[in-house]
């Protein structure tokens, strides 16, 4: 078994059907080397009715829980040498997994793909050229774009991620990535030719974009302290929203003032929450 995909969802049946179709459409791979572990927090079993029968499906029902808790449940069933965490609303290009496998065969222990929406817009700040990852440069790594060597016993921090009881709604994948680096080193690569699709404007379970960005900012602030990010990155993380508040006040763009304020507030709150819990 080569690659285990750990996925969860509450109520995105149609999006899951799209993902399954994209998985079935993969080219130049052996489907027997794919394992899909799905933690169903809703009623989505029928979405997998057309899954390629050569793909091993592990289907688990679970009560509503956080993203990180669901993924940790799924990690107990991983058989692959490598693991990935596709979102319920992402989908793959036909050659996505074949290109990931090529990089693993070249000796890399982690591969980061480029995220793009249905209109070819980037879904994060991805570099334009191929590059190696470092501990504090993850080349835009986001959960549905990360493919990593499986480390038995390594789990997600359940204080982080969507559904976090501390409202630290992002950073779980970066935390997992950094913990993987701590275990096996930084032999990882970003490849812009490998594409994973994802809607760019999805707010998921949040009420609006401001709430989502605020809770995501809390997660980032938490990571800054937990993983001892260098002072240059910490200063930049707070200087940018402060600058945004000033700039947008001058231009009377009060929506962006509000957005910058909540980014700053969230990052500060997350940082102090991490100080409370320590770096464990």
């Amino acid at each position: 078994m080569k690659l285990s995909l750990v996925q969860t969802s509450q109520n995105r049946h149609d999006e899951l059907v799209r993902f399954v179709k994209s998985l079935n459409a993969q080219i130049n791979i052996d489907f027997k080397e794919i394992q899909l572990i799905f933690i169903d927090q809703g009623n989505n079993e029928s979405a997998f009715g057309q899954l390629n029968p050569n793909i091993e499906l592990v289907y688990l029902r679970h009560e509503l829980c956080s993203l990180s808790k669901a993924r940790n449940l799924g990690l107990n069933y991983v058989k692959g040498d490598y693991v990935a965490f596709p979102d319920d609303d992402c989908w793959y290009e036909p050659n996505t997994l074949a290109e990931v496998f090529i990089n693993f065969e070249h000796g890399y222990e982690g591969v980061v793909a480029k995220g793009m929406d249905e209109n070819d817009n980037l879904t994060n700040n991805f570099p334009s050229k191929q590059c190696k990852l470092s501990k504090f440069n993850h080349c835009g790594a986001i959960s549905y774009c990360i493919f990593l060597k499986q480390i038995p016993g390594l789990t997600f921090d359940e204080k982080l991620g969507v559904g976090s009881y501390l409202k630290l709604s992002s950073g779980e994948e970066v935390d997992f990535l950094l913990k993987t680096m701590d275990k096996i080193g930084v032999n990882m690569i970003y490849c812009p030719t490998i594409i994973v699709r994802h809607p760019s404007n999805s707010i998921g379970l949040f009420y609006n974009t401001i709430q989502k960005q605020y809770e995501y900012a809390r997660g980032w602030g938490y990571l800054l302290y937990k993983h001892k990010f260098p002072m240059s990155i910490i200063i930049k993380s707070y200087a940018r929203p402060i600058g945004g508040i000033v700039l947008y006040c001058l231009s009377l763009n009060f929506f962006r003032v509000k957005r910058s304020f909540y980014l700053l507030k969230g990052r500060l709150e997350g940082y102090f929450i991490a100080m409370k819990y320590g770096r464990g």
Side-chain angles (χ1 to χ4, degrees):
M1 189 72 67
K2 190 146 190 174
L3 177 65
S4 296
L5 307 173
V6 179
Q7 186 179 52
T8 187
S9 185
Q10 294 183 9
N11 57 0
R12 284 182 169 162
H13 180 275
D14 292 345
E15 289 88 344
L16 288 167
V17 170
R18 178 176 61 189
F19 175 78
V20 168
K21 288 180 178 179
S22 78
L23 195 54
N24 289 343
Q26 295 301 293
I27 60 174
N28 300 322
I29 67 167
D30 181 355
F31 286 101
K32 292 181 180 179
E33 293 190 334
I34 304 296
Q35 178 191 35
L36 176 59
I37 303 165
F38 185 73
I39 302 90
D40 196 348
Q41 302 179 53
N43 186 25
N44 300 289
E45 187 171 10
S46 63
F48 302 93
Q50 299 301 314
L51 183 69
N52 187 309
N54 288 316
I55 296 174
E56 179 186 341
L57 175 64
V58 178
Y59 177 83
L60 307 167
R61 283 193 178 274
H62 197 273
E63 62 188 8
L64 294 180
C65 64
S66 71
L67 178 61
S68 291
K69 184 173 182 178
R71 286 173 171 170
N72 283 341
L73 176 63
L75 284 169
N76 292 321
Y77 296 85
V78 165
K79 294 181 180 178
D81 299 311
Y82 302 92
V83 65
F85 305 95
D87 279 1
D88 54 3
D89 56 347
C90 81
W91 66 101
Y92 294 149
E93 290 290 288
N95 64 342
T96 295
L97 296 187
E99 290 200 38
V100 168
F101 288 163
I102 288 171
N103 280 279
F104 286 145
E105 289 164 2
H106 287 167
Y108 292 108
E109 295 178 313
V111 178
V112 175
K114 181 168 68 176
M116 301 184 77
D117 68 11
E118 61 276 17
N119 298 314
D120 289 337
N121 299 309
L122 295 178
T123 58
N124 204 6
N125 296 320
F126 296 100
S128 59
K129 297 181 180 179
Q130 179 172 300
C131 55
K132 295 283 190 71
L133 274 67
S134 67
K135 185 166 184 179
F136 298 117
N137 180 11
H138 315 130
C139 302
I142 195 167
S143 60
Y144 50 86
C145 294
I146 297 173
F147 302 82
L148 295 172
K149 184 174 179 64
Q150 164 66 354
I151 309 297
L154 192 69
T155 60
F156 284 88
D157 184 342
E158 294 185 10
K159 293 187 290 296
L160 291 166
V162 174
S164 159
Y165 64 94
L166 292 170
K167 297 190 183 301
L168 304 165
S169 295
S170 73
E172 77 289 344
E173 75 272 55
V174 173
D175 179 69
F176 191 87
L177 175 63
L178 288 170
K179 290 191 292 188
T180 301
M181 289 178 175
D182 288 342
K183 292 284 187 180
I184 62 173
V186 195
N187 184 25
M188 302 180 184
I189 193 166
Y190 161 73
C191 295
T193 58
I194 306 175
I195 307 297
V196 178
R197 300 282 179 177
H198 189 281
S200 58
N201 296 318
S202 172
I203 64 171
L205 301 175
F206 299 95
Y207 295 116
N208 53 49
T209 57
I210 293 291
Q211 184 204 9
K212 179 179 179 179
Q213 290 168 350
Y214 164 61
E215 293 193 18
Y216 272 42
R218 285 169 63 93
W220 177 242
Y222 185 93
L223 287 180
L224 291 175
Y225 182 84
K226 178 177 180 179
H227 287 285
K228 303 180 182 178
F229 273 72
M231 188 56 64
S232 60
I233 295 178
I234 294 173
I235 291 173
K236 183 178 179 180
S237 295
Y238 296 121
R240 292 189 68 176
I242 291 172
I245 292 170
V246 174
L247 175 64
Y248 296 125
C249 276
L250 293 174
S251 62
L252 302 181
N253 189 333
F254 296 115
F255 175 80
R256 288 189 173 270
V257 170
K258 181 178 180 181
R259 176 182 177 275
S260 295
F261 170 77
Y262 277 102
L263 286 175
L264 177 62
K265 182 175 186 288
R267 289 172 185 176
L268 286 169
E269 289 175 352
Y271 193 88
F272 286 114
I273 289 171
M275 291 180 67
K276 176 182 177 181
Y277 283 94
R279 293 191 170 105

